Amino acid sequence: IDQQPPVSGQTTPSRGPYIAVITNRNTNLGIRGFMLFSIGVFLALVLNLLQVQRNVTLFPPDVISSIFSSAWWVPPCCGTASAMIGLLYPCIDSRLGEPHKFKREWSSVMRCVAVFVGINHASAKVDFANNVQLSLTLAALSIGLWWTFDRSRSGFGLGVVIALLATLSTQLLVYNGVFQYTSPDFLYIRSWLPCIFFAGVITMGNIGRQLALYECKRMSGKTHQD
């Protein structure tokens, strides 16, 4: 059968660009997830080292399996949670139709990470008169971190929900003897732990948003070039 050439000025449909865009999005999603996982693992190793050195957390001797004095499962779990949080935040922003535009630059994200590390450092190093004073101080610092670097209702809501779920998971691990706290003062754990989780969620959410913003700008630049 003879094939007739297309009429001049008539374009033939092509799925190539659409498939390429979908492929690029999936690839970028995987790259962002891996980067968030790596950041979470690194922060878990550093921050958990502070807790173990100050005897805030105690692991059984037979589960210590790294030079960072941490159980082998702690960094992967924190990395996985970090990736999920970092990918969830920009997704929720998109679903709500409320793109987060407050302090969207890498310098702000780095300051947020520094403040989070400082809050964790304070929980392990600074001596307070009692646990109530420590918990109230860390709660104020964590909310201050959200107000300084986030200020979104979705960010606050997700931070509270995930912090409560993480606290419950930690209580179950301690109850089953996986590890323990030296001076538990609230249902097998330390009362300030939800504040640390909240600050960590806000920090990883900011990193995830910034990575998503960078990807969006890069994809927009490619679209304009094409």
Side-chain angles (χ1 to χ4, degrees), residues 103-218:
K103 291 189 176 182
R104 293 292 85 206
E105 61 272 348
W106 279 110
S107 59
S108 176
V109 174
M110 293 299 101
R111 287 195 297 270
C112 182
V113 173
V115 173
F116 169 60
V117 173
I119 292 174
N120 198 291
H121 184 76
S123 69
K125 294 285 187 179
V126 180
D127 295 324
F128 286 82
N130 52 63
N131 288 326
V132 175
Q133 184 180 358
L134 173 60
S135 299
L136 292 177
T137 301
L138 293 180
L141 291 174
S142 300
I143 294 176
L145 181 141
W146 166 79
W147 179 257
T148 304
F149 301 103
D150 192 314
R151 296 191 186 182
S152 66
R153 291 174 296 178
S154 60
F156 185 86
L158 281 174
V160 171
V161 171
I162 296 176
L164 292 177
L165 292 176
T167 301
L168 178 61
S169 300
T170 304
Q171 287 176 325
L172 292 176
L173 292 175
V174 174
Y175 179 77
N176 289 303
V178 177
F179 68 99
Q180 62 180 333
Y181 287 89
T182 53
S183 302
D185 60 323
F186 179 72
L187 299 177
Y188 309 108
I189 63 173
R190 301 297 293 269
S191 57
W192 44 259
L193 191 61
C195 305
I196 299 297
F197 284 141
F198 177 82
V201 171
I202 297 300
T203 301
M204 294 310 304
N206 273 342
I207 296 175
R209 282 168 166 166
Q210 190 64 27
L211 289 174
L213 179 64
Y214 174 77
E215 175 191 333
C216 182
K217 288 182 177 180
R218 191 165 62 88

Side-chain angles (χ1 to χ4, degrees), residues 55-76:
N55 292 324
V56 176
T57 54
L58 296 176
F59 292 95
D62 56 337
V63 303
I64 302 299
S65 58
S66 74
I67 60 175
F68 296 98
S69 299
S70 173
W72 67 267
W73 49 268
V74 173

